[in-house]
Amino acid sequence: FVSRKEMRAEVERAAGEAFHRFQVRRTAAGTGVVIFVSLYERMVTVLPADAIAEKIVPAEWEAVRDLVLQGIREHRSREGFSQAIAKCAEILKPLFPVQPGDVNEISNELRVLN
């Protein structure tokens, strides 16, 4: 058995690993975000790139996390993820507006890790 604190640390470590594996930091403006879900531990971590983390308080990311968790708890995961992604856009848009010529530098697809 492991404590909740140890589980949280492991999920955060795995989220950081995914962040690096998928090269989220390598966007031109450093504005990538990972929403990492560990089904086994039933935990969600939202990990923003440094440029974002410097400007947005952790409570904003906790709200994103809570939308995913609520969707999972209520057996409406798709809606929870959609709401969380929309919340990310709402948080980011004022500080990081889309500029002419911007392109998606990272795939927005769901990625399942074993």
Side-chain angles (χ1 to χ4, degrees):
F1 296 97
V2 296
S3 70
R4 190 101 173 126
K5 183 178 177 181
E6 290 171 313
M7 280 194 293
R8 167 66 49 206
E10 179 57 25
V11 170
E12 289 176 0
R13 184 204 58 75
E17 191 174 285
F19 188 90
H20 293 291
R21 178 177 177 184
F22 299 120
Q23 302 179 344
V24 176
R25 186 171 278 120
R26 294 189 63 202
T27 64
T31 55
V33 176
V34 168
I35 300 174
F36 185 87
V37 179
S38 178
L39 295 175
Y40 182 76
E41 287 84 4
R42 298 181 181 175
M43 292 182 173
V44 175
T45 297
V46 181
L47 191 57
D50 294 338
I52 295 171
E54 293 171 355
K55 296 181 179 183
I56 298 172
V57 297
E60 295 277 14
W61 303 119
E62 292 167 9
V64 171
R65 177 203 62 206
D66 292 346
L67 289 167
V68 175
L69 288 170
Q70 181 179 359
I72 292 169
R73 272 194 305 272
E74 295 175 358
H75 304 286
R76 46 177 205 82
S77 299
R78 183 181 309 166
E79 290 85 0
F81 275 105
S82 294
Q83 290 172 345
I85 293 165
K87 180 69 174 173
C88 285
E90 177 186 313
I91 292 167
L92 295 171
K93 189 174 182 178
L95 295 170
F96 303 97
V98 175
Q99 300 297 317
D102 278 355
V103 296
N104 268 348
E105 298 172 70
I106 301 173
S107 171
N108 293 326
E109 68 194 21
L110 175 67
R111 299 178 189 197
V112 178
L113 307 173
N114 293 326

